[in-house]
Amino acid sequence: MEAAVEQVEKVIANIEQVVVGKRKEIELSLVALFAGGHVLLEDVPGVGKTMMVKAIARSLGADFKRIQFTPDLLPSDVTGVSIYNQHTRQFEFRPGPIMANIVLADEINRTSPKTQSALLESLEESSVTVDGETLQLNRPFFVMATQNPVEYAGTFPLPEAQLDRFLLKLQLGYPSEQEELEVLNRLQHQHPIEGIEAVMTTEEVVAIQNEVTKTIVSEPVKAYMIDLVHATRNHQAVELGVSPRGTIALMKASQAYAFLMGRDYVTPDDVKHITPFVLAHRMMMTAESKMSNTTAAQTVENILDQVSVPVPQRRMARS
């Protein structure tokens, strides 16, 4: 585990050469990757969303593809299509950009629901079905989708069923003045992304993914996760709470975060740290809460304050 954590630190340091002052978001992105999940990045343009995905791909030496989602994009443009070869008189499958290790789904909310749905199978089952044939995607398979929360003209909001497929939802936010000065200094002569070299292989990523599943989650911690999820279903500000898929996602993300912290077991603090990024985008707020500007993130923080945290029981001293 120590060797794996050291490797992950090298990956983080590599990405920080390109993305300044966003260590927390980088760590969470790697949590999703090592948990076998995917990330939805929602933020304003120009804060480094695309650069972060590219830096992750280069740091891992992984096959990288970018899909620029537009209103006229077709499902076959994502998954691939079978083309008739006149010489062989047979149909040949031309794989789409989804057939890569790391995929950037740029501005995913600008394409039609039909094309958005083409991602559902790949996000959930790591496979695509073309002409009735199901093809498994290579491991690791990691999708980071971006969407712009400001411009709503010509966009198609992601349905709840698709939001639920993303393990984490993150925001980068604006840099501080000092961080922005550092960005200018680094970009003055050459873009730092050009100097990024791989410090981990895709085989090592898969090995870490397998180790993450062995991270111990005790029964009290599992009960704590369930209490948090059930609180979203019973909260007065929430119309539709988190589904069992969200409970599973919370456990997987907590395991990956604990692993990155160098532990082979999950603590309640791990769960508290990761919960806002796992649960908030899986909740549908009531009309009243929206009118009062009560957000899902605020509701999750409220739930974390209300739900009691399990405390390890001390053994009674023998008389």
Side-chain angles (χ1 to χ4, degrees), residues 14 24 48 74 81 101 108 123 127 177:
N14 229 23
K24 177 182 176 182
L74 299 175
V81 64
N101 294 126
I108 190 174
L123 292 177
S127 64
E177 292 182 3

Side-chain angles (χ1 to χ4, degrees), residues 28-241:
L28 290 171
S29 298
L30 294 179
V31 162
L33 170 64
F34 295 135
H38 311 283
V39 171
L40 177 62
L41 266 178
E42 183 180 70
D43 218 321
V44 296
V47 293
K49 300 187 295 293
T50 302
M51 281 299 109
M52 186 166 76
V53 189
K54 287 184 176 180
I56 292 174
R58 290 206 175 197
S59 298
L60 304 178
D63 184 22
F64 171 75
K65 291 289 189 301
R66 174 179 177 174
I67 309 173
Q68 184 65 51
F69 282 87
T70 56
D72 60 345
L73 196 73
L74 299 175
S76 58
D77 296 329
V78 176
T79 60
V81 64
S82 294
I83 299 176
Y84 183 72
N85 189 324
Q86 293 184 347
H87 296 288
T88 61
R89 296 183 179 182
Q90 292 180 339
F91 282 94
E92 296 179 353
F93 176 66
R94 301 289 175 87
I98 199 67
M99 311 287 280
N101 294 126
I102 295 182
V103 178
L104 169 60
D106 213 359
E107 295 187 298
I108 190 174
N109 58 332
R110 291 202 174 277
T111 195
S112 67
K114 183 177 181 180
T115 305
Q116 288 176 5
S117 65
L119 285 174
L120 288 179
E121 182 183 359
S122 61
L123 292 177
E124 183 67 19
E125 302 176 23
S126 296
S127 64
V128 294
T129 301
V130 181
D131 295 335
E133 182 179 357
T134 300
L135 305 172
Q136 290 296 321
L137 301 174
N138 294 328
R139 293 182 65 193
F141 174 66
F142 176 61
V143 174
M144 185 171 281
T146 69
Q147 65 177 8
N148 182 356
V150 179
E151 299 175 7
Y152 289 107
T155 62
F156 304 86
L158 294 178
E160 285 70 24
Q162 188 157 342
L163 283 173
D164 208 24
R165 259 64 172 191
F166 290 99
L167 184 70
L168 305 178
K169 183 180 179 182
L170 307 178
Q171 292 179 323
L172 291 182
Y174 288 119
S176 65
E177 292 182 3
Q178 187 61 38
E179 290 167 350
E180 201 154 3
L181 176 61
E182 180 64 25
V183 171
L184 294 181
N185 291 334
R186 293 186 185 186
L187 288 172
Q188 187 170 357
H189 301 293
Q190 185 183 13
H191 201 296
I193 194 71
E194 302 300 329
I196 292 293
E197 295 182 356
V199 293
M200 184 184 290
T201 65
T202 54
E203 290 78 10
E204 289 170 333
V205 173
V206 173
I208 291 178
Q209 288 178 335
N210 293 334
E211 287 298 315
V212 163
T213 61
K214 301 175 185 177
T215 305
I216 300 169
V217 187
S218 66
E219 293 303 315
V221 173
K222 288 179 183 176
Y224 179 50
M225 295 178 184
I226 293 173
D227 288 343
L228 291 172
V229 171
H230 276 253
T232 68
R233 301 171 189 170
N234 301 318
H235 200 283
Q236 60 182 5
V238 181
E239 181 177 348
L240 187 64

